[in-house]
Amino acid sequence: MASTKQLKGQVAIVTGADSGIGKAVAIALGAAGATVIINHVSCDENADAVVAHIKKAGGKAYAYHADVSREDDVKAMFAFTIKKYKTVDILVNNAGLQKDALLIDMSLDDWNTVIGVNLTGQFLCSREAAKEFIRRGVVKNRSAAAGKIICMSSVHEVIPWAGHVNYAASKGGVGMFMKSIAQELAPHKIRVMGIGPGAIQTPINEDAWETPQALNKLLKLIPYNRIGQPEDIGKLAVWLASDEADYITGTTIFIDGGMTLYPGFADNG
Ligand code: NAD
């Protein structure tokens, strides 16, 4: 990967950027020269801290509060960004949550909330981004593409997950949503890609790594034998958004230490 500022002059919106993977992606995009909108829905303090981190490193960032599952909020976030920064070049659909329960115990509210944020949120943000990318088109010396959309998926795009059916359904949906809009938007020179993280050490899965016992159990699912770090995802996001990845569209890159390699079969099944 080149160490120059590959995203210089570009504007990125990262959803759910005040924590975990979104925070690391925002910091990495900022370090690569992009101006980053730190979307957040919870406390302002964490988002302000990410903005301060990026600015301290010489980058540009702005915190913006919006619930990605609400159409009005998403439209307002894009309108604000385009007014303030003239355009948007990169969208990272990262916001996501879990509300776990067995199927027979799962409430409709918990189903709708997870689908609403993890899947509908990606639809609402991608639609606004695509409108702006199509309006503006390719700008010479900025990027070879008219725009880039990165959809945060999961290994659960392909690995079924009992007790988490709303989450797995949302990520399976993200996979087909990403491919379908990639097909639709490619003629406009817009690239759309998925990132499928395995186990990354963030607040969303704290109970899977907070004790040595839990971590040992988790590591049995990871052939590469380490838990992922948010920075692993940040580096991939920068590369995917850059012109170095200009021929990549419509595919999910799994970044999981081998979690999708069916580790249970390593000893002859
Ligand atoms: P996290 O809980 O640290 O971060 C999730 C972020 O999404 C938070 O900033 C949260 O406030 C935000 N968010 C939730 N609802 C929102 C809404 N309605 N509007 C805007 N923002 C909202 O968890 P994380 O691990 O950093 O997760 C980030 C993404 O990565 C999620 O999409 C998650 O499904 C995915 N992912 C995580 C892992 C992992 O192991 N950590 C693995 C695979 C996929």
Side-chain angles (χ1 to χ4, degrees), residues 76-119:
M77 175 167 68
F78 277 82
F80 171 86
T81 304
I82 292 163
K83 189 159 183 236
K84 186 168 173 65
Y85 296 106
K86 312 275 186 275
T87 193
V88 180
D89 302 273
I90 300 160
L91 165 67
V92 182
N93 280 318
N94 167 79
L97 44 71
Q98 290 180 216
K99 294 214 173 274
D100 307 331
L102 292 175
L103 173 65
I104 56 172
D105 299 325
M106 188 172 285
S107 67
L108 180 57
D109 258 8
D110 285 353
W111 171 268
N112 283 338
T113 301
V114 170
I115 298 294
V117 174
N118 297 12
L119 185 54

Side-chain angles (χ1 to χ4, degrees), residues 119 153-154 156-158 166-177:
L119 185 54
S153 184
S154 163
H156 297 295
E157 182 180 314
V158 292
N166 46 2
Y167 184 84
S170 74
K171 297 301 186 180
V174 163
M176 198 47 86
F177 170 74

Side-chain angles (χ1 to χ4, degrees), residues 15-22 39-42 66-69 93-98 117-118 122 152-156 167 171 196-205:
T15 66
D18 60 332
S19 173
I21 290 173
N39 161 252
H40 64 105
V41 76
S42 43
D67 179 339
V68 297
S69 67
N93 280 318
N94 167 79
L97 44 71
Q98 290 180 216
V117 174
N118 297 12
Q122 296 214 8
M152 202 57 70
S153 184
S154 163
V155 290
H156 297 295
Y167 184 84
K171 297 301 186 180
I200 311 298
Q201 197 164 10
T202 75
I204 210 174
N205 56 5

Side-chain angles (χ1 to χ4, degrees), residues 175-197:
M176 198 47 86
F177 170 74
M178 179 276 298
K179 285 184 190 177
S180 301
I181 66 169
Q183 191 186 58
E184 188 172 320
L185 298 174
H188 297 282
K189 297 287 282 176
I190 296 167
R191 297 192 292 112
V192 189
M193 299 135 284
I195 291 180

Side-chain angles (χ1 to χ4, degrees), residues 31-50:
T35 297
V36 192
I37 306 302
I38 309 300
N39 161 252
H40 64 105
V41 76
S42 43
C43 80
D44 292 354
E45 242 172 52
N46 293 345
D48 292 344
V50 179

